[in-house]
Amino acid sequence: MSLSLRPSAGAPADPALMTLAEAAMAIRSGVLSSREATEACLARIARLQPVINAFIAIEPEAALAAADAADAALAQGEVRGLLHGLPLAHKDMFYEEGLVSTCGSKILREKVATTNSTALARIKAAGTVRLGALHMVEFAYGPTGHNAHFGAARNPWNTAHVTGGSSSGSGAAVAARLTYGALGSDTGGSIRMPAHFCGVTGLKSTVGLVSRYGAMPLSFSLDTIGPLARTVEDCAILLGLMAGHDPLDPTTATAPVPDYLAAAEGRLKGLTIGIPDAFYVDDLDPEVARVLDETIATLKRGGARIVSVSLPDQMKLSGASQVVLNCEASASHKAWLLERPQDYGPQIRSRLENGFAIPAVTYLEALRWRGPALAEHLAAVAEVDAVLAPTAPMPAPSIAETDTDGGPGAEAMIQRITRFTRPVNYLGLPTVSLPCGFTGTGLPVGLQVIGRPFAEATLIRIGAAFQRETDFHEQMPEEA
């Protein structure tokens, strides 16, 4: 994979406003130094972190030292990788030996990692500079961005609203241009939800495409890792660096990794995209429904063929996903729940305790049904290249109405938020959430494109072609 972008004539007044691809090319071509890019990100972090709370840890001294080292190496003709000198920050659940990874928790707040996340190590090997660690929901177990230990992350478009979770800091930081991209995880929608609510691009990978070694586990059969960034092209770059077999993670596939960046050059013409005739089009906020209609029209103009598809019972898939997640998450946390329950936030502890009430036979039935359910889904979408659906039925709700103190409606709101993301996790499918429009009050609206297993290249082709026809991904919050 190589960057084949048009070299920039010069760095903008604020280099942090460049896309990941543009900044990487500018640094490697000498138009922009790593220090200039890093200083630009750090300046925005200093200004906006008190407002949106996107970081758990900020490391300016180490980041600038690494940037200077990258510039010195480049001056000597040494290019360390595709993203040489590019400053990035990632969700605080990817272990890096010698550094603390809190996982958004009190329990691990001072725990120094003794292993390295393979996904993070591969990004680091491409020459990146670490800015710090990004906010996340405690132990990645929540869709809103609340955190009892580090406070709620706040949506850059309206700080009274949620960022989405659990990759809350990743979505907020990319939207506010504090980092050029970020890694996240998706077990029930944790990449796509922040992408939708914060107006950025988020790619959930197929189970088995990206190594999970050295990343905090939540649900061993549902967890996936993927990038959030401004553009599909940026996500393609990050995914291409991470993807591929890892001997340390025997669940990773051994098939060759496609050229995702080349896929981003593809067109919509010749592709067939399915629109579900039920579930994903039911009970939509009117503005989400409007954005869906407008997106369908844009895809048609670009040359895509749009057809209706009838999917298997998605409520059943959603229920099975919740059973698997609840049981596996509770099993992972059993020892801590018994020994130090007081160190969990109330919302997370309550969710984890629920898993203990599910019978083992129910969990095993949910696991056993996954294969037949996937076969049924693939048969239903045999005539289309991908399926387009809303990422969530509504734009970002407020922090107050989704908090544990928000009254009896809070839990119902949380369940509704993840209604459209859970089925995809259960089936292990790849999905990209794209910024597709805005509400009348200025909140972003995202839609997800759902593919077949390991068909990330097709999703990247569709998403990149859509972004060439629209500018929603170029919009940024006014206060940022």
Side-chain angles (χ1 to χ4, degrees):
M1 180 173 59
S2 61
L3 292 175
S4 57
L5 303 171
R6 296 167 297 281
S8 173
D14 186 350
L17 303 187
M18 303 173 83
T19 68
L20 180 148
E22 290 168 346
M25 175 64 80
I27 292 171
R28 290 180 60 191
S29 64
V31 172
L32 177 70
S33 71
S34 176
R35 171 170 269 270
E36 289 170 330
T38 303
E39 286 180 335
C41 290
L42 289 171
R44 295 181 69 80
I45 292 168
R47 180 164 62 88
L48 293 172
Q49 169 63 12
V51 180
I52 63 174
N53 194 28
F55 277 77
I56 283 177
I58 306 167
E59 302 159 8
E61 295 82 5
L64 290 172
D68 288 340
D71 288 334
L74 194 61
Q76 297 297 316
E78 177 190 348
V79 178
R80 295 174 176 170
L82 190 67
L83 304 183
H84 181 104
L86 187 76
L88 296 177
H90 306 292
K91 188 176 183 178
D92 195 22
M93 56 165 279
F94 298 100
Y95 305 147
E96 186 168 352
E97 187 175 1
L99 298 177
V100 171
S101 292
T102 70
C103 300
S105 70
K106 179 180 179 180
I107 290 174
L108 298 179
R109 197 162 193 165
E110 297 179 358
K111 178 70 172 179
V112 176
T114 57
T115 58
N116 286 303
S117 158
T118 296
L120 182 61
R122 289 178 176 178
I123 298 293
K124 185 178 179 181
T128 60
V129 168
R130 176 184 167 107
L131 290 167
L134 293 174
H135 188 286
M136 60 181 286
V137 173
E138 182 181 3
F139 290 119
Y141 204 11
T144 61
H146 291 84
N147 188 302
H149 312 295
F150 294 94
R154 296 184 174 273
N155 195 314
W157 295 91
N158 185 325
T159 56
H161 289 252
V162 301
T163 58
S166 61
S167 307
S168 45
S170 299
V174 170
R177 312 304 194 249
L178 310 186
T179 177
Y180 295 104
L183 299 189
S185 66
D186 196 312
T187 305
S190 289
I191 288 173
R192 290 162 290 157
M193 207 59 58
H196 159 55
F197 288 151
C198 294
V200 301
T201 305
L203 196 155
K204 177 217 171 294
S205 58
T206 306
V207 171
L209 180 66
V210 177
S211 173
R212 298 177 293 186
Y213 180 81
M216 184 216 77
L218 177 62
S219 171
F220 69 86
S221 68
L222 299 176
D223 291 343
T224 57
I225 293 168
L228 294 95
R230 285 177 56 187
T231 69
V232 170
E233 181 181 53
D234 292 348
C235 286
I237 293 169
L238 292 172
L239 183 65
L241 292 170
M242 291 187 291
H245 181 67
D246 176 18
L248 297 173
D249 180 355
T251 68
T252 50
T254 57
V257 177
D259 187 340
Y260 296 124
L261 196 53
E265 298 297 320
R267 302 292 172 179
L268 290 169
K269 188 174 182 179
L271 294 176
T272 301
I273 299 174
I275 309 299
D277 59 8
F279 186 74
Y280 294 100
V281 292
D282 299 335
D283 191 28
L284 292 182
D285 178 280
E287 296 201 90
V288 173
R290 170 184 57 79
V291 168
L292 176 60
D293 289 342
E294 292 171 353
T295 300
I296 291 170
T298 299
L299 294 172
K300 284 181 178 178
R301 287 195 300 272
R305 177 171 170 257
I306 305 295
V307 300
S308 177
V309 293
S310 297
L311 300 176
D313 187 349
Q314 300 295 290
M315 285 298 292
K316 188 176 179 181
L317 294 176
S318 181
S321 178
Q322 283 190 290
V323 167
V324 173
L325 172 56
N326 288 349
C327 291
E328 292 181 356
S330 298
S332 296
H333 285 266
K334 180 181 178 181
W336 284 334
L337 283 168
L338 292 174
E339 296 167 5
R340 45 195 305 187
Q342 72 282 358
D343 289 336
Y344 287 91
Q347 192 174 75
I348 305 306
R349 185 174 68 245
S350 175
R351 300 191 76 194
L352 287 169
E353 289 172 344
N354 287 340
F356 295 134
I358 299 174
V361 66
T362 303
Y363 167 66
L364 293 174
E365 286 175 344
L367 285 182
R368 185 170 56 188
W369 183 57
R370 181 181 284 164
L374 177 59
E376 188 179 4
H377 171 84
L378 294 177
V381 300
E383 303 302 318
V384 302
D385 296 289
V387 173
L388 175 71
T391 305
M394 82 286 273
S398 72
I399 291 173
E401 66 186 325
T402 51
D403 197 359
T404 50
D405 296 328
E411 182 59 31
M413 175 70 76
I414 290 172
Q415 290 299 315
R416 187 173 179 233
I417 284 173
T418 55
R419 182 168 180 248
F420 295 161
T421 55
R422 289 190 300 262
V424 171
N425 290 95
Y426 180 70
L427 297 177
L429 300 173
T431 318
V432 60
S433 182
L434 306 169
C436 293
F438 294 88
T439 68
T441 59
L443 290 173
V445 175
L447 302 179
Q448 58 179 334
V449 187
I450 306 166
R452 296 188 182 89
F454 299 101
E456 280 82 357
T458 299
L459 303 184
I460 288 168
R461 173 182 171 183
I462 294 169
F466 175 77
Q467 289 185 342
R468 285 193 293 271
E469 298 293 325
T470 60
D471 67 353
F472 303 118
H473 59 289
E474 297 176 357
Q475 307 303 312
M476 60 182 289
E478 286 186 8
E479 65 269 23

